[in-house]
């Protein structure tokens, strides 16, 4: 029996070696036929990728992952490879490669292989975890809904929740307050109302115990999804007991709202108010019932919105006010621009869209993918820009669904194509591309919204909401929502001053936040005079 076991083991070993050899030969032929050269490798003799795994994990745990990836790009160039647990991973921040992955070579890459373990318990068949025809069908629905930003952006709803936010700030009595958790609560309230037709009431004294437990579960679920995404296959060694319970609470809350929505989907929407709070208006769940009555599909559709949308807007607001608090010139210029345009009254949708300088401020500070250059920032440049310098999502990835190439990154000068074999993962960093001196000039690390007055985005690797078919369908809604909040805040407060001298410190989850928060002093206009 033992001899049979040894024979079977030897046969499997030989088969594995032969398969690897055949795969290597095919890859070599493909590489030669496409004039490819190898990209620089990090720790090239770490064949098992254990050293790289340890180093990456240590930087992630120590909140220095951005500094580490910046140093790697500085050392190896804008494209390099790294082995982690024997798997080769390609890292790039080159604008030419970013465009190829997201647009011209879009069909060569999938997202599901890299996300299936993250979404298997939450929205497994939602748009964030799909490829192919299923994804195209889901994209068509969301694209159609978000194409009507004017009608789905409920300004009455925004005003109600902003009043709750301002009440919380005024309750501090002028003492310094941390805007980051307040913005997160505000956006959770707005997004749950948008997605479900019912706010979570985080900033309201009327919050129910069910709503509180739902938000607690939602926050924890997203935290573990981010952790498991980083851990990859090693996530199986970690405990998920609390996570599974949180998923049950999360699903249960949404499922009850789905049941209510399907029962009334034929009833016309009515707009009413209770104690000033909008109780009806646009909500995504009600609209999705026009496409399907399947309860699971509706639940996963709404959950996908809750997972994707909250951190995007909260991260943008956090980065924007962190930067504005550290640059009085920009703050006062933006505030004057707003007051000259609409005074102190609530802006209309068209007026929100008309504030070009506000868009420039957002462009400077709103990045989508974390990458790298914090260690290089000068003291005042630590107040870099919102979407460009502090992306909401630090890294994004794709998995090659066939042998393919990236247009550059290989050879001694990084100008030759490189092979990406079927099954290999490509990680692209918008944080690094957004802060590249090659892309944005010598002052790339400085907060200067005026650069966007004449800057052409094409070819710069600027992808706060990605490009191509998978570009975020809700980007215009997200920017309009964040704009309304920012306008109302600057109408209310005449001064915004930092009350925390600590440098910006990365906190990477499903989005990028500041581990030190945004502690500021806000001076109402009445006191400033």
């Amino acid at each position: 029996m033992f001899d049979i076991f040894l024979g079977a083991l030897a046969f499997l070993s030989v088969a594995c070696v032969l398969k690897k050899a055949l795969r290597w030969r095919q890859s070599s032929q493909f590489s030669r036929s496409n004039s490819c050269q190898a990209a620089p490798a990090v720790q090239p003799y770490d064949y098992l990728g254990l050293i790289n795994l340890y180093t990456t994990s240590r930087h992630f745990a120590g909140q220095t992952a951005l500094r580490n990836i910046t140093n790697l790009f500085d050392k190896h160039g804008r494209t390099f490879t790294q082995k982690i647990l024997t798997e080769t991973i390609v890292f790039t921040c080159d604008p030419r490669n970013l465009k190829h992955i997201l647009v011209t070579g879009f069909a060569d890459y999938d997202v599901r292989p890299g996300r299936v373990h993250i979404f298997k318990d939450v929205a497994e068949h939602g748009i964030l975890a799909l490829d192919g025809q299923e994804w195209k069908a889901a994209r068509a629905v969301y694209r159609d809904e978000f194409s009507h930003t004017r009608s789905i952006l409920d300004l009455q709803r925004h005003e109600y929740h902003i009043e709750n936010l301002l009440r919380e700030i005024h309750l501090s009595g002028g003492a310094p307050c941390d805007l980051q958790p307040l913005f997160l609560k505000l956006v959770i309230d707005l997004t749950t109302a948008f997605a479900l037709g019912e706010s979570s009431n985080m900033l309201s004294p009327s919050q129910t115990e069910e709503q509180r437990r739902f938000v607690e579960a939602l926050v924890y679920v997203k935290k573990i999804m981010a952790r498991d995404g980083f851990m990859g296959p090693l996530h199986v060694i970690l405990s998920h007991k609390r996570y599974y319970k949180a998923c049950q609470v999360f699903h249960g809350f949404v499922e009850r709202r789905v049941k209510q929505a399907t029962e009334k989907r034929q009833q016309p929407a009515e707009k009413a108010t209770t104690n000033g709070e909008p109780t009806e208006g646009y909500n995504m769940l009600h609209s999705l019932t026009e496409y399907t009555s399947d309860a699971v599909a509706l639940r996963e559709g709404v959950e996908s919105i809750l997972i994707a949308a909250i951190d995007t807007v909260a991260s943008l607001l956090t980065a924007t006010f962190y930067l504005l608090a550290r640059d009085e010139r920009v703050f006062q210029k933006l505030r004057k621009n707003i007051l000259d345009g609409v005074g102190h009254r609530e802006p209309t949708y068209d007026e929100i869209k008309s504030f070009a300088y506000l868009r420039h401020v957002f462009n400077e500070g709103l990045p989508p993918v974390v990458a790298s250059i914090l260690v290089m920032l000068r003291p005042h440049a630590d107040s870099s820009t919102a979407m460009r310098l502090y992306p909401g999502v630090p890294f994004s990835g794709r998995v090659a669904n066939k042998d393919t190439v990236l247009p550059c990154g290989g050879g001694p000068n990084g100008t030759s194509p490189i092979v990406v074999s079927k099954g290999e993962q490509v990680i692209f960093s918008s944080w690094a591309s957004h802060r590249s001196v090659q892309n944005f000039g010598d002052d790339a690390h400085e907060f200067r919204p005026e650069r966007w007055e004449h800057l052409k985005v094409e070819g710069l690797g600027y992808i706060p909401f990605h490009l191509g078919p998978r570009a975020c369908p809700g980007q215009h809604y997200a920017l309009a929502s964040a704009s309304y909040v920012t306008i109302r805040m600057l109408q209310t407060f005449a001064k915004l001053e930092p009350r925390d001298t600590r440098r910006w410190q990365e906190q990477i989850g499903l989005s990028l936040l500041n581990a030190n928060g945004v502690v500021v002093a806000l001076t109402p206009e009445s006191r400033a005079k």
Side-chain angles (χ1 to χ4, degrees):
M1 181 65 70
F2 185 67
D3 291 342
I4 295 175
F5 172 76
L6 288 179
L9 183 61
F11 175 79
L12 290 174
S13 298
V14 171
C16 184
V17 170
L18 290 176
K19 183 178 180 181
K20 285 280 188 181
L22 179 61
R23 190 74 188 90
W24 178 83
R25 182 180 179 183
Q26 292 173 337
S27 180
S28 297
Q29 292 175 340
F30 183 81
S31 176
R32 288 193 298 271
S33 65
N34 287 277
S35 303
C36 295
Q37 296 190 51
V42 178
Q43 299 284 357
Y45 300 109
D46 182 17
Y47 298 112
L48 298 179
L50 297 177
I51 296 174
N52 288 328
L53 175 64
Y54 169 75
T55 302
T56 302
S57 300
R58 179 167 55 84
H59 282 293
F60 185 83
Q63 296 182 320
T64 56
L66 301 185
R67 182 181 304 176
N68 177 54
I69 196 70
T70 298
N71 292 338
L72 290 176
F73 279 121
D74 287 344
K75 181 178 180 180
H76 300 286
R78 296 198 287 184
T79 302
F80 62 84
T81 64
Q82 190 175 41
K83 276 191 178 296
I84 296 181
L85 293 180
T86 74
E87 298 293 331
T88 298
I89 300 176
V90 179
F91 290 82
T92 187
C93 66
D94 192 303
R96 293 165 294 182
N97 286 340
L98 269 58
K99 182 178 179 180
H100 182 82
I101 295 165
L102 298 174
V103 184
T104 54
F106 172 81
D108 294 350
Y109 298 92
D110 293 332
V111 301
R112 186 168 178 78
R115 297 181 182 181
V116 64
H117 70 287
I118 307 173
F119 286 95
K120 66 183 180 67
D121 298 302
V122 180
E124 181 178 9
H125 300 287
I127 188 172
L128 300 176
L130 294 178
D131 289 312
Q133 293 302 317
E134 288 183 305
W135 167 76
K136 288 182 180 179
R139 177 193 61 175
V141 172
Y142 287 109
R143 181 173 288 180
D144 181 56
E145 289 300 311
F146 281 111
S147 67
H148 309 291
T149 305
R150 181 190 297 272
S151 60
I152 67 176
L153 183 71
D154 191 327
L155 297 183
Q156 180 188 2
R157 175 185 291 156
H158 274 67
E159 186 62 27
Y160 170 79
H161 291 292
I162 288 171
E163 287 175 1
N164 288 341
L165 170 70
L166 295 176
R167 184 182 63 248
E168 287 289 316
I169 294 174
H170 290 315
L171 286 176
S172 67
C177 65
D178 187 352
L179 289 179
Q180 183 165 270
L182 291 176
F183 281 146
L184 182 59
K185 291 178 180 179
L186 170 67
V187 177
I188 290 175
D189 282 351
L190 286 170
T191 306
T192 50
F194 171 80
L196 293 167
E198 174 186 335
S199 171
S200 57
N201 289 320
M202 289 288 287
L203 290 172
S204 171
S206 62
Q207 185 184 45
T208 66
E209 177 63 16
E210 183 192 24
Q211 291 169 338
R212 187 197 65 78
R213 292 181 65 245
F214 162 70
V215 172
E216 183 180 77
L218 170 62
V219 171
Y220 186 75
V221 164
K222 295 202 296 180
K223 175 182 177 181
I224 300 305
M225 290 176 70
R227 182 200 69 183
D228 288 357
F230 172 77
M231 293 296 292
L234 292 181
H235 77 281
V236 297
I237 68 176
L238 302 173
S239 173
H240 288 77
K241 185 176 181 180
R242 182 183 169 190
Y243 172 71
Y244 294 141
K245 290 182 178 179
C247 287
Q248 290 178 348
V249 175
F250 181 38
H251 293 328
F253 185 92
V254 177
E255 285 168 354
R256 287 188 286 276
R257 276 66 192 174
V258 167
K259 183 179 179 181
Q260 295 169 3
T262 54
E263 289 174 350
K264 62 180 291 188
R265 68 179 181 271
Q266 301 301 326
Q267 300 176 14
E270 297 178 359
K271 208 161 193 175
T273 58
T274 303
N275 296 325
E277 179 180 2
T279 57
E280 291 290 346
Y282 178 87
N283 72 78
M284 180 63 75
L285 175 57
H286 178 79
S287 292
L288 292 180
T289 60
E290 300 297 325
Y291 297 91
T292 181
S293 59
D294 182 87
V296 175
L298 290 169
R299 172 176 63 78
E300 293 192 341
V302 169
E303 288 179 348
S304 297
I305 294 292
L306 294 173
I307 291 168
I310 291 173
D311 291 334
T312 300
V313 179
S315 178
L316 172 56
L317 289 171
T318 294
T320 298
F321 279 79
Y322 175 86
L323 299 173
L324 290 176
R326 286 158 176 77
D327 196 317
E328 185 179 2
R329 179 193 69 82
V330 175
F331 175 82
Q332 293 300 340
K333 179 177 179 178
L334 178 58
R335 186 169 190 270
K336 182 178 185 302
N337 185 262
I338 290 170
L339 294 181
D340 287 347
V342 296
H344 290 84
R345 63 175 173 79
E346 300 167 19
T348 65
Y349 177 79
D350 288 331
E351 288 168 336
I352 292 171
K353 298 276 288 183
S354 71
F355 289 112
Y357 192 63
L358 177 56
R359 293 200 304 275
H360 297 160
V361 170
F362 281 166
N363 284 347
E364 269 293 272
L366 170 81
V369 180
V370 176
S372 43
I373 299 178
L374 289 177
V375 68
M376 302 171 63
L377 296 178
R378 295 186 287 280
H380 83 280
D382 209 13
S383 64
S384 307
T385 48
M387 279 167 50
R388 186 175 66 83
L389 291 179
Y390 294 115
V393 182
F395 306 97
S396 287
R398 299 288 188 270
V399 177
N401 55 37
K402 65 177 184 179
D403 288 346
T404 184
V405 300
L406 289 179
C408 54
N413 299 319
T415 56
S416 298
I418 66 169
V419 169
V420 181
S421 299
K422 181 179 180 179
E424 286 186 352
Q425 189 169 17
V426 179
I427 304 295
F428 53 95
S429 170
S430 53
W431 172 289
S433 67
H434 288 188
R435 292 165 172 261
S436 171
V437 173
Q438 294 169 282
N439 298 343
F440 290 94
D442 293 337
D443 65 346
H445 308 148
E446 297 182 15
F447 179 44
R448 190 172 65 81
E450 287 77 9
R451 80 173 73 243
W452 294 94
E453 292 175 0
H454 307 290
L455 194 63
K456 294 182 178 179
V457 175
E458 179 68 24
L460 293 178
Y462 181 70
I463 52 170
F465 293 102
H466 286 187
L467 298 172
R470 278 195 181 268
C472 175
Q475 58 183 289
H476 298 299
Y477 179 89
L479 288 173
S481 179
S483 295
Y484 190 88
V485 175
T486 303
I487 290 169
R488 296 299 283 147
M489 286 286 288
L490 267 65
Q491 287 174 322
T492 305
F493 299 103
K495 289 185 179 180
L496 175 68
E497 302 167 291
R499 286 295 182 264
D500 189 341
T501 58
R502 291 176 296 177
R503 60 176 293 175
W504 189 92
Q505 180 69 49
E506 69 187 68
Q507 178 179 312
I508 302 175
L510 288 183
S511 68
L512 178 64
L513 295 173
N514 183 1
N516 295 325
V518 183
V519 182
V520 297
L522 292 153
T523 305
E525 186 174 55
S526 58
R527 296 182 187 177
K529 293 180 179 179

